[in-house]
Amino acid sequence: MESFLASRSVRSSFAAAAAAGSRGCSPRPSRVAILAGARARPLRAGPKDSILQVLAQDDMLNATELVQWENGKSVNDIAASQGIRIRRHCRPTASLKEIEEELGAPLNILEKIIWDKEIEVAEGLAKKPLKELIEAAAKSPPTRDFYGALEAAYKRNGVPALIAEVKKASPSRGVLRENFNPVEIANAYEKNGAACLSILTDEKYFQGSFENLEKVRASGVKCPLLCKEFVIDKWQIYNARSKGADAILLIAAVLTDLDMKYFLRICKELGMTALIEVHDEKEMDRVLKINGVKLIGINNRSLETFVVDTSNTKMLLEKHGDSIREKGILVVGESGLFTPDDVAYVQNAGVSAVLVGESLVKQEDPGRAITGLFGKELLH
Ligand SMILES: O=C(O)c1ccccc1NCC(=O)[C@H](O)[C@H](O)COP(=O)(O)O
């Protein structure tokens, strides 16, 4: 896997420094090896350069993280020390039986999704090396401004800007729409005032696909597109960009601080917006400490239990609203929004945008459902 904390390239470059793993994934190479490697190369880093250069250049590699590496902590140890409950198996070629012998059964649906994703990404990487995707991403048409589209729509309509989700199914609700045509739905959303679109690309749990993302992009839709994925690896970000995504979801419940910093940096290089999703206070605290975060999504749904509670947005914004406003971060209220009252509730709590799937996609006419959701027509 190529996420920073599980990076094969980092491990192989400093193989001599890597010791045996503790829980799950291998520990880091030693600080001496990292710094030696980082300093051996020129400082101006491009997308193809090592993250060590990028981090060294930006001085983002902090002392605590280095000490953790030095002490030989595994990816799961580091994640757990940041309050992350989702574990990685880091064994993409092992059978589920072998993985479960080591770690037990996945603790919840999110962990199960991530364990499958580790295997899926390794297979993807074997079929399409990172280098190819970096080149494909570089050749893609320029990104559209996801953040700017949300900001403008909020100003224009006086209600939260809509990120309308093209969602066929979900683990919590099963199939939402039998007769599912992603391009028709995307066009209907755009015509009815959606500022941006979210395209689910996970196949196994959401019946989405990258083909859907590509088709929507090629259909003439102008809205910026969010690739709604479970990102654990930079390969996925380049893949999303090469297929036309303008923005990508990063889930704080899954990613360590260093991975979020690393992925944010890659998004910046690619001109993409990162929507960083949090669900609880601990995650919000972590994300607010990261420089360069512009867009935070507060998910009202626990991805571990499926419980949806819109008061989650209110609670988190009551505690963190001041600091969010000071930093100029735009907040997206996600999940469980069905009525104009729901939208008004999260707007009063302080969100400037909403991410909505089920309540639109389940309607006969998903485009017209937008007017029902907001209680008025949205202007383009
Ligand atoms: O929707 C799920 O069941 C789900 C389960 C596990 C991980 C993620 C999940 N959903 C992703 C989302 O958060 C939603 O697709 C998005 O916020 C829209 O929610 P909704 O309007 O409630 O469909």
Side-chain angles (χ1 to χ4, degrees), residues 278-289:
V278 304
H279 176 68
D280 62 25
E281 247 200 284
K282 173 87 194 162
E283 289 164 15
M284 181 67 99
D285 273 335
R286 288 173 50 219
V287 167
L288 287 176
K289 287 192 188 114

Side-chain angles (χ1 to χ4, degrees), residues 109-110 113 163 165 167 169-174 176 198 200 205-206 228 230 249 251 277 298-306 308 332-338 354-361:
I109 184 71
L110 184 56
I113 294 173
I163 307 170
E165 188 150 280
K167 181 178 190 182
S170 77
S172 63
R173 304 279 198 215
L176 298 168
S198 162
L200 274 154
Y205 296 92
F206 293 86
K228 194 86 181 307
F230 294 86
L249 182 74
I251 304 176
E277 179 175 300
I298 299 179
N299 205 334
N300 296 312
R301 174 180 291 114
S302 158
L303 305 187
E304 296 176 26
T305 64
F306 293 157
V308 179
V332 182
E334 299 178 11
S335 303
L337 303 172
F338 288 85
V354 288
L355 172 57
V356 184
E358 180 181 349
S359 72
L360 301 177
V361 91

Side-chain angles (χ1 to χ4, degrees), residues 7-57:
S7 167
R8 192 185 289 150
S9 58
V10 168
R11 277 209 301 276
S12 60
S13 315
F14 306 108
S22 45
R23 287 194 301 125
C25 304
S26 301
R28 302 296 95 222
S30 83
R31 171 168 59 169
V32 175
I34 292 160
L35 293 179
R39 283 180 190 147
R41 299 186 182 104
L43 269 187
R44 280 250 63 86
K48 289 185 204 166
D49 293 303
S50 128
I51 184 59
L52 297 174
Q53 287 170 270
V54 172
L55 292 172
Q57 181 180 313

Side-chain angles (χ1 to χ4, degrees), residues 6 15 19 21 30 36-37 55 63 68 123 132 146 193 199 222 255 269 271 282 288 294 310 312 315 321 327 334 356:
S30 83
L55 292 172
Q68 282 174 327
E123 286 169 358
E132 255 178 52
F146 194 90
I199 316 290
K222 293 189 183 60
L255 299 171
E269 295 270 358
K282 173 87 194 162
L288 287 176
K294 286 178 73 188
T310 49
N312 196 45
M315 184 271 289
K327 291 171 188 278
E334 299 178 11
V356 184

